[in-house]
Amino acid sequence: MRVGLTGGVASGKSTVANMLAELGAVVIDADALAREVVERGTPGLAAVVEEFGDELLTPEGDLDRPAMGRLVFGDESARKRLEAIVHPLVFERYAELEATAPEGALVVHDIPLLAESGRADGFDAVIVVDAPTETQVERMLEQRGWTLEDAESRIAAQATREQRLAVATHVIENTGTLDELRARVRAVHDELAVRA
Ligand SMILES: CC(C)(COP(=O)(O)OP(=O)(O)OC[C@H]1O[C@@H](n2cnc3c(N)ncnc32)[C@H](O)[C@@H]1O)[C@@H](O)C(=O)NCCC(=O)NCCS
Ligand SMILES: Nc1ncnc2c1ncn2[C@@H]1O[C@H](COP(=O)(O)OP(=O)(O)OP(=O)(O)O)[C@@H](O)[C@H]1O
């Protein structure tokens, strides 16, 4: 059973993914893979440096993620050039990890850009974590210390709520407490697990 999990930035995807993992699902996290493929010393990071220059590296030689974020979320063509390097590497790692999942497992693919990718049809079910834009912005400002401009530029780089909801088979509203979220996640998990 291959389940896609998506949602806008700071909607609560990782929180939901962690709750699903606690319930026994195997979670593959695209954001984590996108970090792994550009770690220090990787061919991915070398490709990024070739494209964008080494001023986007920290003195230690890591990708300067805040600086890269400011660049790509303010410049669509730069974002597309970064995605063209990172996304194929992420898909490669995805295929490798998926092949190691145990038979009969509920395999959850946490993919922030699933609606944008046009790949939602390839999943048996698609869970969309949904929250109003104001809630997303509040979480980014309060819990991540981003500026309003950082928050709004990430939202602008993503599909709209409506576009995301259009690919959902299951919607998880994340507007209440974490306990309410956990109860909704359990209900969706239990429904999908019997089909796995
Ligand atoms: C620009 C980068 C270096 C900024 O790193 P940073 O640590 O600040 O953010 P992080 O990677 O944790 O992403 C946080 C969230 O930002 C949003 N986001 C990230 N990349 C993108 C993108 N290309 N388009 C729209 N939203 C994005 C997602 O909601 C994601 O969950 C990084 O986001 C990146 O490498 N992005 C390109 C790769 C990508 O598309 N990743 C998304 C999943 S494959
Ligand atoms: N129902 C909730 N009540 C309070 N805080 C919440 C709730 N849901 C999520 N959060 C908090 O909001 C922040 C964003 O959640 P999370 O990291 O799960 O979002 P995300 O969609 O994975 O974000 P990103 O797109 O950046 O990866 C986190 O600090 C999380 O603890």
Side-chain angles (χ1 to χ4, degrees), residues 87-192:
H87 288 182
L89 297 170
V90 169
F91 284 122
E92 243 174 65
R93 287 289 293 132
Y94 245 111
E96 287 166 16
L97 288 175
E98 193 166 30
T100 65
E103 187 76 13
L106 194 68
V107 183
V108 175
H109 300 254
D110 178 352
I111 309 182
L113 304 181
L114 182 59
E116 292 83 344
S117 73
R119 290 174 185 245
D121 284 352
F123 292 88
D124 302 308
V126 175
I127 302 172
V128 171
V129 184
D130 184 51
T133 308
E134 308 81 71
T135 308
Q136 287 174 268
V137 171
E138 236 167 66
R139 289 183 184 145
M140 286 185 269
L141 264 52
E142 285 170 12
Q143 290 159 8
R144 303 205 174 144
W146 290 353
T147 65
L148 184 61
E149 197 189 348
D150 292 335
E152 287 179 340
S153 64
R154 291 220 188 197
I155 288 175
Q158 302 191 339
T160 62
R161 261 176 103 182
E162 291 67 31
Q163 287 167 331
R164 219 175 280 114
L165 289 170
V167 302
T169 59
H170 295 72
V171 178
I172 294 184
E173 293 283 350
N174 185 16
T175 47
T177 64
L178 288 171
D179 281 341
E180 285 164 337
L181 180 64
R182 192 169 284 110
R184 178 75 185 122
V185 169
R186 179 179 286 277
V188 170
H189 170 273
D190 291 353
E191 189 202 320
L192 295 174

Side-chain angles (χ1 to χ4, degrees), residues 46-86:
V48 170
V49 168
E50 195 178 326
E51 182 70 36
F52 293 97
D54 57 12
E55 57 276 18
L56 284 161
L57 293 180
T58 66
E60 293 76 33
D62 293 309
L63 180 63
D64 183 342
R65 303 184 67 87
M68 192 58 154
R70 280 190 297 276
L71 172 67
V72 303
F73 295 115
D75 176 349
E76 189 179 348
S77 90
R79 179 161 51 82
K80 297 280 174 213
R81 287 190 284 132
L82 177 65
E83 290 176 355
I85 296 168
V86 175

